[in-house]
Amino acid sequence: MNLINLPYQINRIHVAHRENTLGLLTYGSVHHYQPIQEQHHVSLTMTRQGMDGYSSGTLHPIFSQNLPEGFNRRFISQKLARYAKVNDMYLLALQGDQGIGLLNYQSDLLFPETTSLSLDQILSYHSQEPLFPQLLEKYYLRNALAGMQPKVSIPNVQLNQTDRTVQQKDFIVKSFDDDFPLLTVNEFVCMQAAQYCGLEPPKSYLSNNLETYVVERFDRKNTGERLGYEDFTTLLKKSNDADAKYTGSYETLLKATLLYTGRLSEVEKMYRYIVFNCLIGNGDAHLKNFALQYSSDMTNIFVSPPFDLTHTLIYPNIDQNMALKLKGSKAFPHVADLLKLAESDTFRIRNAKDIIFSFSEHILDYLKQSNEVQLFNGLRQSIERSVSNIMVSSTTRKCYRHDKKKKFD
Ligand SMILES: Nc1ncnc2c1ncn2[C@@H]1O[C@H](COP(=O)(O)OP(=O)(O)OP(=O)(O)O)[C@@H](O)[C@H]1O
Ligand SMILES: [Mg+2]
């Protein structure tokens, strides 16, 4: 794209679902969203009847939730600094029709078509010149993803097919910086472990040179249907600042899941994710790393597949705590704490003990047979330590044993 043709600033964005404009977002002294119809809401948190608009000093959470943070935000801001006033409205407009979820953003920005790639080109890339900076250069203007780590979303990646049909899917490609070496391998291993535990994560891949991790987008179906997506900073109406995703507790996450979905099966799914994150040693399971999805009419609301699973405890440059509180503390829990989490005044997860023990066994089994875990020195031992620290009783410091024979007594 010729950057000279970019509008300098963006103060008006039409928010649409497919071709239907739902409302107008403007920015003057405040951000204002004005619906222009009554049938479709833009968020589960903005469902007032009638045509009243929503004014807010900062950009509304549903619009700000997917704005780039960290690396990607700095990258785009530096690239466009001479040509545009890069603020939240601008970054939102850059999402165009590529944003995660249902909504499209139409503004004065015109996007050129980008040429597509095949998955194989990404996975088997082999050159002295790293691939990721090239992908970033090509796709950064359509980079509609939240998160701190370097990543790009690439539409219409061609998959290798054995028959003659060409299948295309949208992928997210992530790399790593010096602070988190081999995060790609780490995330791939954790996603595979999640698969092993039956959590049904999206399909992911690791490039041969270990420099890129690739994951299928789960907000778009093969039929082209798009699903609504809201992370828990939006759902819990948190402010837009960087720390908000680290405020709150896993208890609240479960309660909010029940509130929005109304289904115990979804609460149990969320409980499984929390247990898995604790066992695998993920200290970055914050509110933006959990989300709900829904059909376009908002009738079917469910917990999204798991994503951004990593074993953070191996990196000495971040603390050894969890991202959210459990029982009032960010220290990693013990089995008893996880069992307690399964019960509240509004729900009870009956098979919590089985979930915890079977996940710990499945993770250890997976690690035994994984080739990829060997690619990261110390990763296997570090995850095993994390599992065993949780499976040790807090009072007796003895290992809980899962007596399979007794299970059906
Ligand atoms: N497979 C997927 N399909 C659709 N959206 C996804 C998928 N994986 C991630 N996302 C979206 O992209 C965002 C960024 O991805 P991710 O959380 O993996 O990045 P990150 O930079 O590692 O995040 P963090 O800042 O939590 O470390 C997520 O918050 C989510 O909205
Ligand atoms: Mg994340």
Side-chain angles (χ1 to χ4, degrees):
M1 185 191 256
N2 188 347
L3 298 183
I4 295 168
N5 296 333
L6 288 173
Y8 179 70
Q9 59 183 356
I10 290 183
N11 294 327
R12 286 168 65 84
I13 296 175
H14 284 96
V15 182
H17 170 219
R18 293 183 182 271
E19 296 76 37
N20 305 325
T21 304
L22 306 184
L24 178 66
L25 178 66
T26 51
Y27 178 48
S29 53
V30 294
H31 294 87
H32 182 79
Y33 174 70
Q34 182 58 53
I36 60 162
Q37 47 72 57
E38 293 186 62
Q39 291 79 42
H40 291 284
H41 305 297
V42 286
S43 166
L44 297 170
T45 64
M46 292 160 73
T47 54
R48 275 203 304 253
Q49 294 302 316
M51 301 284 282
D52 280 356
Y54 297 82
S55 283
S56 168
T58 53
L59 187 58
H60 311 72
I62 184 63
F63 304 128
S64 63
Q65 66 170 7
N66 297 330
L67 297 185
E69 308 162 81
F71 176 94
N72 278 29
R73 189 168 181 123
R74 285 195 300 278
F75 186 88
I76 300 172
S77 301
Q78 279 162 17
K79 278 282 191 191
L80 303 189
R82 284 166 62 104
Y83 310 97
K85 187 173 171 193
V86 182
N87 55 12
D88 283 356
M89 285 291 278
Y90 214 98
L91 290 166
L92 186 67
L94 284 172
Q95 303 202 351
D97 59 3
Q98 296 296 313
I100 304 288
L102 272 177
L103 305 175
N104 290 336
Y105 302 102
Q106 297 159 352
S107 68
D108 294 341
L109 277 171
L110 297 173
F111 298 101
E113 288 292 311
T114 42
T115 49
S116 193
L117 284 170
S118 77
L119 182 59
D120 198 46
Q121 278 173 298
I122 301 173
L123 298 181
S124 55
Y125 181 82
H126 179 74
S127 162
Q128 291 286 51
E129 199 188 340
L131 173 67
F132 189 77
Q134 299 175 53
L135 294 178
L136 197 59
E137 199 60 49
K138 198 165 163 185
Y139 294 102
Y140 78 93
L141 278 177
R142 306 303 304 274
N143 215 346
L145 297 169
M148 302 299 285
Q149 295 303 315
K151 69 183 82 60
V152 285
S153 174
I154 307 185
N156 307 325
V157 174
Q158 290 162 13
L159 269 72
N160 305 329
Q161 292 287 105
T162 40
D163 57 30
R164 262 182 266 153
T165 54
V166 178
Q167 209 193 350
Q168 297 191 328
K169 289 196 166 169
D170 293 349
F171 283 94
I172 293 172
V173 178
K174 294 172 79 171
S175 181
F176 58 85
D177 52 26
D178 296 342
D179 286 342
F180 299 104
L182 290 182
L183 191 61
T184 45
V185 176
N186 189 331
E187 187 160 356
F188 181 81
V189 164
C190 294
M191 292 288 270
Q192 293 296 113
Q195 172 77 33
Y196 219 77
C197 291
L199 295 182
E200 301 182 8
K203 204 163 169 24
S204 60
Y205 308 82
L206 186 61
S207 68
N208 297 343
N209 63 9
L210 312 185
E211 287 172 8
T212 45
Y213 161 85
V214 182
V215 63
E216 251 176 57
R217 269 179 70 162
F218 53 64
D219 60 315
R220 286 152 191 241
K221 293 191 181 167
N222 285 347
T223 53
E225 188 197 338
R226 288 169 64 169
L227 294 169
Y229 175 95
E230 299 191 30
D231 72 40
F232 276 84
T233 52
T234 304
L235 295 165
L236 292 174
K237 303 183 186 173
K238 296 279 178 183
S239 68
N240 194 12
D241 59 58
D243 301 338
K245 62 190 175 193
Y246 293 111
T247 59
S249 67
Y250 292 111
E251 289 91 341
T252 307
L253 195 59
L254 290 174
K255 283 190 177 163
T257 304
L258 183 61
L259 197 74
Y260 280 105
T261 68
R263 281 184 289 159
L264 196 57
S265 58
E266 296 307 301
V267 180
E268 183 180 320
K269 198 159 139 194
M270 186 60 93
Y271 178 76
R272 286 173 182 269
Y273 292 5
I274 297 169
V275 169
F276 179 84
N277 274 296
C278 292
L279 286 167
I280 206 86
N282 184 6
D284 208 34
H286 54 64
L287 294 175
K288 289 186 82 66
N289 284 332
F290 298 95
L292 297 181
Q293 291 190 281
Y294 47 84
S295 53
S296 59
D297 60 3
M298 289 183 172
T299 50
N300 180 19
I301 305 172
F302 53 93
V303 174
S304 86
F307 58 92
D308 205 8
L309 305 175
T310 49
H311 170 71
T312 57
L313 297 177
I314 200 165
Y315 298 111
N317 42 354
I318 47 173
D319 69 33
Q320 299 283 300
N321 289 332
M322 297 198 295
L324 299 174
K325 286 185 179 167
L326 184 85
K327 256 179 75 184
S329 159
K330 286 197 174 179
F332 272 86
H334 295 288
V335 177
D337 307 318
L338 290 174
L339 287 171
K340 198 138 185 267
L341 179 67
E343 299 200 11
S344 86
D345 45 358
T346 46
F347 61 81
R348 177 160 171 256
I349 294 154
R350 285 162 182 271
N351 52 347
K353 197 168 180 187
D354 283 348
I355 294 173
I356 302 166
F357 283 100
S358 84
F359 279 14
S360 74
E361 283 165 14
H362 278 99
I363 292 173
L364 297 178
D365 283 352
Y366 163 73
L367 293 174
K368 262 184 230 148
Q369 52 96 63
S370 162
N371 292 327
E372 285 81 7
V373 78
Q374 312 290 344
L375 299 167
F376 188 149
N377 223 342
L379 183 61
R380 177 175 167 185
Q381 294 75 4
S382 187
I383 297 178
E384 282 174 349
R385 210 173 308 127
S386 155
V387 171
S388 74
N389 283 343
I390 298 228
M391 299 310 289
V392 166
S393 147
S394 55
T395 45
T396 62
R397 310 297 295 173
K398 270 193 203 144
C399 262
Y400 267 96
R401 287 194 40 226
H402 186 38
D403 194 339
K404 279 183 184 162
K405 275 187 209 132
K406 278 195 183 151
K407 207 161 142 191
F408 302 106
D409 277 355

